[in-house]
Amino acid sequence: MPDSQQFRNNRFPISLYRLQGSFNFIFFLILVGISAGCGNKVTTRDVPINTPDAFSLPTGSYELEDDWWKAFGDSELNGMVDSALFHNLELKSSWYQVAQEASNVAIIASERVPQVFLELQGGASRPVPDFVGGENTQLSLRSSYEVDLWGRVKQSKLAAESRLKASYLDYQTLAISIAGEVALTWFSLQAFMEQLELIRQQTEYNEQVLALIRARFASGQVRGVDILRQEQLIQNTREQSMAIQIEVKTLQNRLAVLLGTAPGSLSLPAESQLPELGPLPDAGLPMELINRRPDIQSSFHQMEAADREVAVAISNTYPRLTFNFTGALRSNTLTNLVESQAASLTSSLLMPLFYGGRLKAEKRQAEAFREQQIQAYGQTVLLALQEVEDALNRENLQKERIGYLENQLNLAERAFQQLRVEYLNGSIAYLDVLVTLDQMQQLKRDLVNAKLDQLLFRVSLYRALAGGFPTPNETGGEFTMNENTIPIK
């Protein structure tokens, strides 16, 4: 993970590993196992992005907690997020991916120690000759060890460790996303349920108005078309109720899957309402965001792993020195196996000469992949900064939008009351009342949607600012890990 103390000129230097090797081949053969002038030279490379010193809009003063969803003060939401973090199948799958990467580190690290195995050979010949020097039965202990002259195995292990860290940080990013999706789905459900209750009240009121119009029509005070228009308004509100119920059922199924249960099996509380928003959190500095967000850290470690793979590709073009030891018991018959012993120690030097350009192509491929990861890291940083800026701007402007909607609703209610009185006095036609009534009811529904949007913008801001947090999979849960270490931070 990059240290903010290392940043200079608003750029992010990364270490590029270059294998610098020069040796005298004859001298190397004489002094087997000694590497002359071999090592890793570290250079730097700037990631092609510039970061601002601060965000464009002011933010709050309190520090956002790791479990940011608790800032809404909604106990139902807190329980759902806890359940999702424990039971969500996608999150569990991601945790097993971390376990695979941890095992991969152990697999690559095993190349740094000698490989030892026991071999038993047997054979039979007819007629039975005396196989001097070529016995039929042999029990041997063999060992093979490659001297890591150019750091190939070391760099492979470091690359695997970087990928392990990236995998764990991807898991942390997914946990944040799942918590955010649960919050978005739950708040949307609450808003739709509130809209259903609002439409129910509006339908009841519209039916009362319809009864009044019919009574006035019976006395010859209004036209029959006024009844048709009011009935059309009632049908319109009922149609909107059906559309919202479709969304409610869909959101319930989506929430069930997030919680790791079958769609259709989730039961929700009978009554709930959207929470009130608290003050904005302190967004901090862009540089702090870069050091906090797990997706940015993951991209950095992916870039670091790609850099080390370049060193591996370069080392593949250099000679490999391998030592082999064999200790054996040999005999023509199994009963005389212990009477003859033999031991041998051999070494081999493998120098790649001609591979049809494959090794150079692998090196160019590794370098191109590293460059791709550098650009991907820069893009990840830019997108993270965009998410924070978008969330701050949306919430700031949404407050003004809600104010305008509330003013419109207030004016519509006043206009409706005045037009209603004039209609009852026979001064105006019912059409003017109907239009204003429809507008007033639609504004009430729009206001609920606007408040929901404001909550969703706050969720987006919390997600954009959030860092990693402990999950049940890491702190016990139902998983047990092997001996490979999974980094927590």
Side-chain angles (χ1 to χ4, degrees), residues 101-384:
E101 293 295 341
S103 297
N104 189 49
V105 173
I107 292 171
I108 295 177
S110 68
E111 298 182 27
R112 304 186 69 178
V113 297
Q115 309 296 308
V116 181
F117 55 93
L118 186 67
E119 180 182 18
L120 175 63
Q121 293 180 333
S125 300
R126 294 292 185 274
V128 180
D130 184 11
F131 286 93
V132 178
E135 289 77 4
N136 285 5
T137 305
Q138 179 172 294
L139 178 65
S140 59
L141 183 68
R142 300 178 183 273
S143 177
S144 177
Y145 176 68
E146 178 185 341
V147 181
D148 194 18
L149 296 175
W150 319 108
R152 180 185 65 85
V153 178
K154 176 184 177 182
Q155 294 299 330
S156 296
K157 180 176 180 291
L158 290 175
E161 289 175 346
S162 294
R163 286 192 293 269
L164 169 60
K165 294 175 183 177
S167 179
Y168 171 75
L169 292 165
D170 289 340
Y171 167 80
Q172 288 274 296
T173 302
L174 180 60
I176 294 173
S177 296
I178 289 174
E181 288 301 314
V182 171
L184 292 174
T185 307
W186 172 237
F187 290 150
S188 298
L189 264 173
Q190 288 178 300
F192 282 129
M193 296 300 291
E194 186 173 333
Q195 287 221 31
L196 283 176
E197 176 60 22
L198 181 60
I199 289 177
R200 185 191 65 79
Q201 295 174 5
Q202 291 175 351
T203 302
E204 289 182 356
Y205 180 80
N206 292 338
E207 288 175 345
Q208 294 173 5
V209 173
L210 177 60
L212 176 62
I213 296 175
R214 282 175 173 167
R216 292 173 64 85
F217 174 75
S219 61
Q221 297 178 5
V222 298
R223 299 178 301 167
V225 70
D226 293 342
I227 296 177
L228 297 177
R229 287 170 175 167
Q230 185 64 21
E231 288 179 341
Q232 182 183 3
L233 178 61
I234 293 173
Q235 294 301 315
N236 180 58
T237 53
R238 287 175 176 170
E239 182 272 331
Q240 291 194 32
S241 175
M242 291 297 103
I244 292 176
Q245 289 183 48
I246 292 173
E247 294 296 329
V248 167
K249 294 297 183 182
T250 302
L251 289 171
Q252 285 179 331
N253 291 337
R254 178 183 178 188
L255 186 59
V257 173
L258 287 170
L259 300 184
T261 61
S265 62
L266 185 65
S267 59
L268 297 176
E271 295 183 2
S272 61
Q273 59 182 8
L274 293 174
E276 295 292 331
L277 273 182
L280 282 171
D282 181 13
L285 301 176
M287 197 62 64
E288 295 173 337
L289 178 73
I290 292 171
N291 289 330
R292 181 172 62 247
R293 282 192 39 154
D295 58 335
I296 298 178
Q297 298 174 42
S298 172
S299 182
F300 178 85
H301 287 298
Q302 291 284 5
M303 178 176 60
E304 189 177 51
D307 186 30
R308 297 188 186 280
E309 291 293 350
V310 174
V312 174
I314 295 175
S315 68
N316 286 336
T317 64
Y318 293 164
R320 293 187 185 182
L321 177 63
T322 303
F323 289 96
N324 298 286
F325 172 79
T326 302
L329 301 175
R330 302 184 301 179
S331 175
N332 284 337
T333 63
L334 185 62
T335 56
N336 298 327
L337 187 63
V338 298
E339 297 180 358
S340 176
Q341 299 87 28
S344 65
L345 175 65
T346 62
S347 64
S348 62
L349 182 66
L350 177 65
M351 177 67 182
L353 294 179
F354 180 73
Y355 282 78
R358 191 190 73 183
L359 297 180
K360 289 184 178 179
E362 289 177 349
K363 174 177 172 292
R364 290 194 298 268
Q365 182 186 46
E367 290 173 340
F369 182 69
R370 181 189 60 201
E371 293 301 317
Q372 177 190 358
Q373 293 302 310
I374 291 174
Q375 305 304 320
Y377 174 76
Q379 181 70 5
T380 303
V381 172
L382 291 179
L383 290 176

Side-chain angles (χ1 to χ4, degrees), residues 413-428:
E413 288 175 340
R414 291 166 58 187
F416 174 73
Q417 294 300 329
Q418 183 174 343
L419 290 171
R420 183 173 179 273
V421 172
E422 293 179 3
Y423 170 72
L424 293 176
N425 293 333
S427 303
I428 61 173

Side-chain angles (χ1 to χ4, degrees), residues 62-71 281 462 465-469:
Y62 78 92
E63 183 178 355
L64 185 64
E65 299 294 334
D66 290 341
D67 46 358
W68 48 266
W69 55 91
K70 294 182 179 179
Y462 285 162
L465 295 176
F469 51 83

